[in-house]
PDB file of all heavy atoms in Angstrom:
ATOM      1  N   LEU A 153      -4.715  -0.514  -3.341  1.00  0.00           N
ATOM      2  CA  LEU A 153      -4.808  -0.623  -1.844  1.00  0.00           C
ATOM      3  C   LEU A 153      -4.036  -1.820  -1.327  1.00  0.00           C
ATOM      4  O   LEU A 153      -3.801  -2.814  -2.055  1.00  0.00           O
ATOM      5  CB  LEU A 153      -6.259  -0.718  -1.435  1.00  0.00           C
ATOM      6  CG  LEU A 153      -7.103   0.546  -1.717  1.00  0.00           C
ATOM      7  CD1 LEU A 153      -8.577   0.315  -1.359  1.00  0.00           C
ATOM      8  CD2 LEU A 153      -6.564   1.756  -0.997  1.00  0.00           C
ATOM      9  N   ALA A 154      -3.619  -1.691  -0.072  1.00  0.00           N
ATOM     10  CA  ALA A 154      -2.825  -2.730   0.596  1.00  0.00           C
ATOM     11  C   ALA A 154      -3.589  -3.244   1.833  1.00  0.00           C
ATOM     12  O   ALA A 154      -4.451  -2.565   2.372  1.00  0.00           O
ATOM     13  CB  ALA A 154      -1.531  -2.143   1.040  1.00  0.00           C
ATOM     14  N   THR A 155      -3.231  -4.445   2.213  1.00  0.00           N
ATOM     15  CA  THR A 155      -3.749  -4.999   3.471  1.00  0.00           C
ATOM     16  C   THR A 155      -2.605  -4.984   4.485  1.00  0.00           C
ATOM     17  O   THR A 155      -1.688  -4.227   4.353  1.00  0.00           O
ATOM     18  CB  THR A 155      -4.281  -6.431   3.260  1.00  0.00           C
ATOM     19  OG1 THR A 155      -3.190  -7.227   2.747  1.00  0.00           O
ATOM     20  CG2 THR A 155      -5.437  -6.475   2.285  1.00  0.00           C
ATOM     21  N   GLY A 156      -2.690  -5.827   5.499  1.00  0.00           N
ATOM     22  CA  GLY A 156      -1.651  -5.832   6.556  1.00  0.00           C
ATOM     23  C   GLY A 156      -2.040  -4.870   7.667  1.00  0.00           C
ATOM     24  O   GLY A 156      -3.040  -4.132   7.578  1.00  0.00           O
ATOM     25  N   SER A 157      -1.213  -4.863   8.712  1.00  0.00           N
ATOM     26  CA  SER A 157      -1.550  -4.022   9.886  1.00  0.00           C
ATOM     27  C   SER A 157      -1.343  -2.537   9.630  1.00  0.00           C
ATOM     28  O   SER A 157      -2.096  -1.710  10.139  1.00  0.00           O
ATOM     29  CB  SER A 157      -0.617  -4.362  11.068  1.00  0.00           C
ATOM     30  OG  SER A 157      -0.582  -5.745  11.257  1.00  0.00           O
ATOM     31  N   THR A 158      -0.351  -2.197   8.850  1.00  0.00           N
ATOM     32  CA  THR A 158       0.044  -0.796   8.731  1.00  0.00           C
ATOM     33  C   THR A 158      -1.048   0.141   8.243  1.00  0.00           C
ATOM     34  O   THR A 158      -1.259   1.186   8.855  1.00  0.00           O
ATOM     35  CB  THR A 158       1.332  -0.640   7.873  1.00  0.00           C
ATOM     36  OG1 THR A 158       2.254  -1.639   8.280  1.00  0.00           O
ATOM     37  CG2 THR A 158       1.947   0.750   8.035  1.00  0.00           C
ATOM     38  N   PRO A 159      -1.789  -0.170   7.160  1.00  0.00           N
ATOM     39  CA  PRO A 159      -2.747   0.781   6.660  1.00  0.00           C
ATOM     40  C   PRO A 159      -4.054   0.881   7.421  1.00  0.00           C
ATOM     41  O   PRO A 159      -4.862   1.787   7.168  1.00  0.00           O
ATOM     42  CB  PRO A 159      -3.026   0.349   5.212  1.00  0.00           C
ATOM     43  CG  PRO A 159      -2.677  -1.099   5.180  1.00  0.00           C
ATOM     44  CD  PRO A 159      -1.689  -1.354   6.272  1.00  0.00           C
ATOM     45  N   ASN A 184      -6.757  -4.080  -5.182  1.00  0.00           N
ATOM     46  CA  ASN A 184      -5.849  -4.505  -4.123  1.00  0.00           C
ATOM     47  C   ASN A 184      -4.611  -5.179  -4.699  1.00  0.00           C
ATOM     48  O   ASN A 184      -4.637  -5.728  -5.786  1.00  0.00           O
ATOM     49  CB  ASN A 184      -6.555  -5.430  -3.123  1.00  0.00           C
ATOM     50  CG  ASN A 184      -6.998  -4.648  -1.913  1.00  0.00           C
ATOM     51  OD1 ASN A 184      -8.028  -3.953  -1.952  1.00  0.00           O
ATOM     52  ND2 ASN A 184      -6.189  -4.666  -0.842  1.00  0.00           N
ATOM     53  N   LEU A 185      -3.568  -5.094  -3.910  1.00  0.00           N
ATOM     54  CA  LEU A 185      -2.271  -5.617  -4.354  1.00  0.00           C
ATOM     55  C   LEU A 185      -2.271  -7.123  -4.493  1.00  0.00           C
ATOM     56  O   LEU A 185      -1.663  -7.658  -5.411  1.00  0.00           O
ATOM     57  CB  LEU A 185      -1.212  -5.282  -3.293  1.00  0.00           C
ATOM     58  CG  LEU A 185      -0.668  -3.883  -3.280  1.00  0.00           C
ATOM     59  CD1 LEU A 185       0.087  -3.641  -1.961  1.00  0.00           C
ATOM     60  CD2 LEU A 185       0.284  -3.656  -4.465  1.00  0.00           C
ATOM     61  N   ASP A 186      -2.897  -7.803  -3.518  1.00  0.00           N
ATOM     62  CA  ASP A 186      -2.628  -9.258  -3.449  1.00  0.00           C
ATOM     63  C   ASP A 186      -3.729 -10.023  -2.755  1.00  0.00           C
ATOM     64  O   ASP A 186      -4.616  -9.447  -2.102  1.00  0.00           O
ATOM     65  CB  ASP A 186      -1.267  -9.529  -2.755  1.00  0.00           C
ATOM     66  CG  ASP A 186      -1.014  -8.578  -1.598  1.00  0.00           C
ATOM     67  OD1 ASP A 186      -1.979  -8.043  -1.016  1.00  0.00           O
ATOM     68  OD2 ASP A 186       0.184  -8.352  -1.235  1.00  0.00           O
ATOM     69  N   GLU A 187      -3.661 -11.329  -2.892  1.00  0.00           N
ATOM     70  CA  GLU A 187      -4.601 -12.257  -2.228  1.00  0.00           C
ATOM     71  C   GLU A 187      -3.910 -13.582  -2.021  1.00  0.00           C
ATOM     72  O   GLU A 187      -3.091 -13.992  -2.845  1.00  0.00           O
ATOM     73  CB  GLU A 187      -5.883 -12.394  -3.087  1.00  0.00           C
ATOM     74  CG  GLU A 187      -6.916 -13.343  -2.543  1.00  0.00           C
ATOM     75  CD  GLU A 187      -7.506 -12.943  -1.153  1.00  0.00           C
ATOM     76  OE1 GLU A 187      -6.765 -13.159  -0.192  1.00  0.00           O
ATOM     77  OE2 GLU A 187      -8.620 -12.448  -1.090  1.00  0.00           O
ATOM     78  N   TYR A 199      -7.802 -11.612   1.940  1.00  0.00           N
ATOM     79  CA  TYR A 199      -7.607 -10.153   1.838  1.00  0.00           C
ATOM     80  C   TYR A 199      -8.899  -9.477   1.322  1.00  0.00           C
ATOM     81  O   TYR A 199      -9.125  -8.305   1.658  1.00  0.00           O
ATOM     82  CB  TYR A 199      -6.396  -9.832   0.948  1.00  0.00           C
ATOM     83  CG  TYR A 199      -5.080 -10.056   1.691  1.00  0.00           C
ATOM     84  CD1 TYR A 199      -3.879 -10.035   1.019  1.00  0.00           C
ATOM     85  CD2 TYR A 199      -5.071 -10.280   3.079  1.00  0.00           C
ATOM     86  CE1 TYR A 199      -2.667 -10.207   1.715  1.00  0.00           C
ATOM     87  CE2 TYR A 199      -3.878 -10.469   3.766  1.00  0.00           C
ATOM     88  CZ  TYR A 199      -2.682 -10.442   3.072  1.00  0.00           C
ATOM     89  OH  TYR A 199      -1.506 -10.602   3.763  1.00  0.00           O
ATOM     90  N   LEU A 250       1.085   1.437  -0.330  1.00  0.00           N
ATOM     91  CA  LEU A 250       1.888   0.259  -0.038  1.00  0.00           C
ATOM     92  C   LEU A 250       2.300   0.192   1.413  1.00  0.00           C
ATOM     93  O   LEU A 250       2.537   1.235   2.030  1.00  0.00           O
ATOM     94  CB  LEU A 250       3.224   0.293  -0.847  1.00  0.00           C
ATOM     95  CG  LEU A 250       3.165   0.253  -2.367  1.00  0.00           C
ATOM     96  CD1 LEU A 250       4.592   0.429  -2.905  1.00  0.00           C
ATOM     97  CD2 LEU A 250       2.582  -1.050  -2.852  1.00  0.00           C
ATOM     98  N   GLY A 251       2.454  -1.015   1.938  1.00  0.00           N
ATOM     99  CA  GLY A 251       3.223  -1.254   3.159  1.00  0.00           C
ATOM    100  C   GLY A 251       4.549  -1.842   2.712  1.00  0.00           C
ATOM    101  O   GLY A 251       4.829  -1.872   1.509  1.00  0.00           O
ATOM    102  N   ILE A 252       5.357  -2.255   3.640  1.00  0.00           N
ATOM    103  CA  ILE A 252       6.637  -2.899   3.296  1.00  0.00           C
ATOM    104  C   ILE A 252       6.872  -4.055   4.257  1.00  0.00           C
ATOM    105  O   ILE A 252       6.620  -3.929   5.458  1.00  0.00           O
ATOM    106  CB  ILE A 252       7.804  -1.841   3.313  1.00  0.00           C
ATOM    107  CG1 ILE A 252       9.114  -2.480   2.839  1.00  0.00           C
ATOM    108  CG2 ILE A 252       7.964  -1.204   4.679  1.00  0.00           C
ATOM    109  CD1 ILE A 252      10.227  -1.478   2.565  1.00  0.00           C
ATOM    110  N   GLY A 253       7.321  -5.167   3.712  1.00  0.00           N
ATOM    111  CA  GLY A 253       7.652  -6.316   4.542  1.00  0.00           C
ATOM    112  C   GLY A 253       9.000  -6.070   5.249  1.00  0.00           C
ATOM    113  O   GLY A 253       9.813  -5.269   4.760  1.00  0.00           O
ATOM    114  N   GLU A 254       9.233  -6.799   6.301  1.00  0.00           N
ATOM    115  CA  GLU A 254      10.552  -6.708   6.990  1.00  0.00           C
ATOM    116  C   GLU A 254      11.677  -7.075   6.031  1.00  0.00           C
ATOM    117  O   GLU A 254      12.820  -6.668   6.215  1.00  0.00           O
ATOM    118  CB  GLU A 254      10.571  -7.575   8.237  1.00  0.00           C
ATOM    119  CG  GLU A 254       9.742  -6.980   9.356  1.00  0.00           C
ATOM    120  CD  GLU A 254       9.673  -7.877  10.589  1.00  0.00           C
ATOM    121  OE1 GLU A 254      10.679  -8.540  10.915  1.00  0.00           O
ATOM    122  OE2 GLU A 254       8.592  -7.905  11.235  1.00  0.00           O
ATOM    123  N   HIS A 257       9.729  -6.595   0.936  1.00  0.00           N
ATOM    124  CA  HIS A 257       8.770  -6.863  -0.118  1.00  0.00           C
ATOM    125  C   HIS A 257       7.732  -5.743  -0.230  1.00  0.00           C
ATOM    126  O   HIS A 257       7.421  -5.072   0.748  1.00  0.00           O
ATOM    127  CB  HIS A 257       8.125  -8.252   0.038  1.00  0.00           C
ATOM    128  CG  HIS A 257       7.124  -8.395   1.139  1.00  0.00           C
ATOM    129  ND1 HIS A 257       6.891  -9.603   1.782  1.00  0.00           N
ATOM    130  CD2 HIS A 257       6.263  -7.510   1.762  1.00  0.00           C
ATOM    131  CE1 HIS A 257       5.943  -9.449   2.680  1.00  0.00           C
ATOM    132  NE2 HIS A 257       5.562  -8.177   2.709  1.00  0.00           N
ATOM    133  N   ILE A 258       7.214  -5.567  -1.425  1.00  0.00           N
ATOM    134  CA  ILE A 258       6.041  -4.738  -1.640  1.00  0.00           C
ATOM    135  C   ILE A 258       5.010  -5.613  -2.371  1.00  0.00           C
ATOM    136  O   ILE A 258       5.392  -6.366  -3.233  1.00  0.00           O
ATOM    137  CB  ILE A 258       6.350  -3.425  -2.434  1.00  0.00           C
ATOM    138  CG1 ILE A 258       7.233  -3.701  -3.678  1.00  0.00           C
ATOM    139  CG2 ILE A 258       6.957  -2.373  -1.559  1.00  0.00           C
ATOM    140  CD1 ILE A 258       7.493  -2.458  -4.527  1.00  0.00           C
ATOM    141  N   GLY A 259       3.709  -5.461  -2.018  1.00  0.00           N
ATOM    142  CA  GLY A 259       2.796  -6.516  -2.420  1.00  0.00           C
ATOM    143  C   GLY A 259       3.379  -7.786  -1.841  1.00  0.00           C
ATOM    144  O   GLY A 259       3.964  -7.797  -0.750  1.00  0.00           O
ATOM    145  N   PHE A 260       3.267  -8.887  -2.605  1.00  0.00           N
ATOM    146  CA  PHE A 260       3.971 -10.114  -2.161  1.00  0.00           C
ATOM    147  C   PHE A 260       5.148 -10.366  -3.096  1.00  0.00           C
ATOM    148  O   PHE A 260       5.481 -11.520  -3.426  1.00  0.00           O
ATOM    149  CB  PHE A 260       3.029 -11.297  -2.050  1.00  0.00           C
ATOM    150  CG  PHE A 260       2.313 -11.353  -0.707  1.00  0.00           C
ATOM    151  CD1 PHE A 260       0.989 -11.690  -0.616  1.00  0.00           C
ATOM    152  CD2 PHE A 260       3.017 -11.104   0.491  1.00  0.00           C
ATOM    153  CE1 PHE A 260       0.329 -11.754   0.608  1.00  0.00           C
ATOM    154  CE2 PHE A 260       2.394 -11.176   1.713  1.00  0.00           C
ATOM    155  CZ  PHE A 260       1.046 -11.501   1.781  1.00  0.00           C
ATOM    156  N   ASN A 261       5.767  -9.285  -3.566  1.00  0.00           N
ATOM    157  CA  ASN A 261       6.961  -9.409  -4.376  1.00  0.00           C
ATOM    158  C   ASN A 261       8.140  -9.593  -3.429  1.00  0.00           C
ATOM    159  O   ASN A 261       8.718  -8.641  -2.906  1.00  0.00           O
ATOM    160  CB  ASN A 261       7.140  -8.175  -5.264  1.00  0.00           C
ATOM    161  CG  ASN A 261       6.045  -8.047  -6.273  1.00  0.00           C
ATOM    162  OD1 ASN A 261       6.000  -8.811  -7.236  1.00  0.00           O
ATOM    163  ND2 ASN A 261       5.060  -7.175  -5.998  1.00  0.00           N
ATOM    164  N   THR A 280       7.995 -14.105   5.600  1.00  0.00           N
ATOM    165  CA  THR A 280       6.642 -13.546   5.441  1.00  0.00           C
ATOM    166  C   THR A 280       5.585 -14.441   6.069  1.00  0.00           C
ATOM    167  O   THR A 280       4.671 -13.995   6.766  1.00  0.00           O
ATOM    168  CB  THR A 280       6.330 -13.323   3.933  1.00  0.00           C
ATOM    169  OG1 THR A 280       7.307 -12.412   3.439  1.00  0.00           O
ATOM    170  CG2 THR A 280       4.971 -12.789   3.684  1.00  0.00           C
ATOM    171  N   ASN A 283       5.867 -13.978   9.758  1.00  0.00           N
ATOM    172  CA  ASN A 283       5.338 -12.679  10.194  1.00  0.00           C
ATOM    173  C   ASN A 283       3.825 -12.648  10.171  1.00  0.00           C
ATOM    174  O   ASN A 283       3.185 -11.984  10.988  1.00  0.00           O
ATOM    175  CB  ASN A 283       5.859 -11.555   9.284  1.00  0.00           C
ATOM    176  CG  ASN A 283       7.295 -11.209   9.593  1.00  0.00           C
ATOM    177  OD1 ASN A 283       7.808 -11.586  10.633  1.00  0.00           O
ATOM    178  ND2 ASN A 283       7.946 -10.456   8.701  1.00  0.00           N
ATOM    179  N   ASN A 284       3.227 -13.337   9.172  1.00  0.00           N
ATOM    180  CA  ASN A 284       1.766 -13.276   9.036  1.00  0.00           C
ATOM    181  C   ASN A 284       1.050 -14.357   9.827  1.00  0.00           C
ATOM    182  O   ASN A 284      -0.184 -14.378   9.871  1.00  0.00           O
ATOM    183  CB  ASN A 284       1.372 -13.277   7.568  1.00  0.00           C
ATOM    184  CG  ASN A 284       1.732 -11.977   6.884  1.00  0.00           C
ATOM    185  OD1 ASN A 284       2.141 -11.024   7.566  1.00  0.00           O
ATOM    186  ND2 ASN A 284       1.619 -11.903   5.580  1.00  0.00           N
ATOM    187  N   ARG A 286       0.637 -14.544  12.795  1.00  0.00           N
ATOM    188  CA  ARG A 286      -0.157 -13.945  13.874  1.00  0.00           C
ATOM    189  C   ARG A 286      -1.609 -13.788  13.527  1.00  0.00           C
ATOM    190  O   ARG A 286      -2.464 -13.694  14.406  1.00  0.00           O
ATOM    191  CB  ARG A 286       0.458 -12.590  14.289  1.00  0.00           C
ATOM    192  CG  ARG A 286       0.337 -11.474  13.215  1.00  0.00           C
ATOM    193  CD  ARG A 286       1.224 -10.276  13.596  1.00  0.00           C
ATOM    194  NE  ARG A 286       0.932  -9.061  12.843  1.00  0.00           N
ATOM    195  CZ  ARG A 286       1.467  -8.773  11.635  1.00  0.00           C
ATOM    196  NH1 ARG A 286       2.264  -9.659  11.057  1.00  0.00           N
ATOM    197  NH2 ARG A 286       1.153  -7.648  11.028  1.00  0.00           N
ATOM    198  N   PHE A 287      -1.940 -13.767  12.223  1.00  0.00           N
ATOM    199  CA  PHE A 287      -3.336 -13.578  11.842  1.00  0.00           C
ATOM    200  C   PHE A 287      -4.118 -14.898  11.802  1.00  0.00           C
ATOM    201  O   PHE A 287      -5.332 -14.905  11.692  1.00  0.00           O
ATOM    202  CB  PHE A 287      -3.409 -12.936  10.438  1.00  0.00           C
ATOM    203  CG  PHE A 287      -2.833 -11.544  10.396  1.00  0.00           C
ATOM    204  CD1 PHE A 287      -1.650 -11.279   9.714  1.00  0.00           C
ATOM    205  CD2 PHE A 287      -3.451 -10.493  11.053  1.00  0.00           C
ATOM    206  CE1 PHE A 287      -1.111  -9.987   9.678  1.00  0.00           C
ATOM    207  CE2 PHE A 287      -2.946  -9.221  11.030  1.00  0.00           C
ATOM    208  CZ  PHE A 287      -1.772  -8.946  10.320  1.00  0.00           C
ATOM    209  N   THR A 300      -0.119 -11.748  -6.634  1.00  0.00           N
ATOM    210  CA  THR A 300       0.245 -10.363  -6.320  1.00  0.00           C
ATOM    211  C   THR A 300       0.450  -9.518  -7.584  1.00  0.00           C
ATOM    212  O   THR A 300       0.959 -10.026  -8.601  1.00  0.00           O
ATOM    213  CB  THR A 300       1.547 -10.316  -5.469  1.00  0.00           C
ATOM    214  OG1 THR A 300       1.841  -8.939  -5.171  1.00  0.00           O
ATOM    215  CG2 THR A 300       2.766 -10.947  -6.115  1.00  0.00           C
ATOM    216  N   LEU A 315       3.832   3.333   3.385  1.00  0.00           N
ATOM    217  CA  LEU A 315       3.793   3.573   4.821  1.00  0.00           C
ATOM    218  C   LEU A 315       4.662   2.539   5.559  1.00  0.00           C
ATOM    219  O   LEU A 315       4.667   1.359   5.196  1.00  0.00           O
ATOM    220  CB  LEU A 315       2.382   3.380   5.353  1.00  0.00           C
ATOM    221  CG  LEU A 315       1.238   4.097   4.650  1.00  0.00           C
ATOM    222  CD1 LEU A 315      -0.100   3.741   5.349  1.00  0.00           C
ATOM    223  CD2 LEU A 315       1.475   5.611   4.639  1.00  0.00           C
ATOM    224  N   THR A 317       5.763   1.800   9.829  1.00  0.00           N
ATOM    225  CA  THR A 317       5.782   2.234  11.229  1.00  0.00           C
ATOM    226  C   THR A 317       6.432   1.137  12.081  1.00  0.00           C
ATOM    227  O   THR A 317       6.313  -0.046  11.787  1.00  0.00           O
ATOM    228  CB  THR A 317       4.352   2.518  11.735  1.00  0.00           C
ATOM    229  OG1 THR A 317       3.536   1.357  11.560  1.00  0.00           O
ATOM    230  CG2 THR A 317       3.690   3.686  11.029  1.00  0.00           C
ATOM    231  N   GLN A 320      10.654  -2.489  13.803  1.00  0.00           N
ATOM    232  CA  GLN A 320      10.895  -3.738  13.057  1.00  0.00           C
ATOM    233  C   GLN A 320      11.013  -3.486  11.547  1.00  0.00           C
ATOM    234  O   GLN A 320      11.500  -4.332  10.808  1.00  0.00           O
ATOM    235  CB  GLN A 320       9.817  -4.796  13.384  1.00  0.00           C
ATOM    236  CG  GLN A 320       8.433  -4.601  12.806  1.00  0.00           C
ATOM    237  CD  GLN A 320       7.579  -3.539  13.537  1.00  0.00           C
ATOM    238  OE1 GLN A 320       8.074  -2.810  14.436  1.00  0.00           O
ATOM    239  NE2 GLN A 320       6.316  -3.417  13.187  1.00  0.00           N
ATOM    240  N   LYS A 321      10.626  -2.271  11.106  1.00  0.00           N
ATOM    241  CA  LYS A 321      10.718  -1.955   9.662  1.00  0.00           C
ATOM    242  C   LYS A 321      11.947  -1.106   9.337  1.00  0.00           C
ATOM    243  O   LYS A 321      12.148  -0.702   8.201  1.00  0.00           O
ATOM    244  CB  LYS A 321       9.453  -1.216   9.216  1.00  0.00           C
ATOM    245  CG  LYS A 321       8.172  -1.988   9.356  1.00  0.00           C
ATOM    246  CD  LYS A 321       8.092  -3.129   8.352  1.00  0.00           C
ATOM    247  CE  LYS A 321       6.910  -4.074   8.589  1.00  0.00           C
ATOM    248  NZ  LYS A 321       5.626  -3.518   8.249  1.00  0.00           N
TER     249      LYS A 321
HETATM  250  C1  F6R B 171      -0.352  -6.352   1.920  1.00  0.00           C
HETATM  251  C2  F6R B 171       0.974  -6.393   1.312  1.00  0.00           C
HETATM  252  C3  F6R B 171       2.246  -6.532   2.087  1.00  0.00           C
HETATM  253  C4  F6R B 171       2.222  -5.730   3.391  1.00  0.00           C
HETATM  254  C5  F6R B 171       3.524  -5.940   4.148  1.00  0.00           C
HETATM  255  C6  F6R B 171       3.543  -5.249   5.491  1.00  0.00           C
HETATM  256  O1  F6R B 171      -1.347  -6.244   0.935  1.00  0.00           O
HETATM  257  O2  F6R B 171       1.015  -6.353   0.121  1.00  0.00           O
HETATM  258  O3  F6R B 171       3.305  -6.081   1.276  1.00  0.00           O
HETATM  259  O4  F6R B 171       2.076  -4.372   3.115  1.00  0.00           O
HETATM  260  O5  F6R B 171       3.711  -7.328   4.371  1.00  0.00           O
HETATM  261  O6  F6R B 171       2.572  -5.790   6.318  1.00  0.00           O
HETATM  262  P1  F6R B 171       2.235  -5.142   7.729  1.00  0.00           P
HETATM  263  O7  F6R B 171       1.611  -3.817   7.418  1.00  0.00           O
HETATM  264  O8  F6R B 171       1.248  -6.116   8.351  1.00  0.00           O
HETATM  265  O9  F6R B 171       3.500  -5.035   8.453  1.00  0.00           O
END
Side-chain angles (χ1 to χ4, degrees):
L153 295 175
T155 58
S157 310
T158 315
N184 261 81
L185 282 165
D186 39 23
E187 178 60 284
Y199 283 170
L250 296 175
I252 184 169
E254 286 177 37
H257 73 208
I258 45 176
F260 274 139
N261 295 286
T280 299
N283 284 345
N284 289 352
R286 68 191 193 276
F287 296 112
T300 180
L315 309 180
T317 56
Q320 73 283 9
K321 298 290 172 72

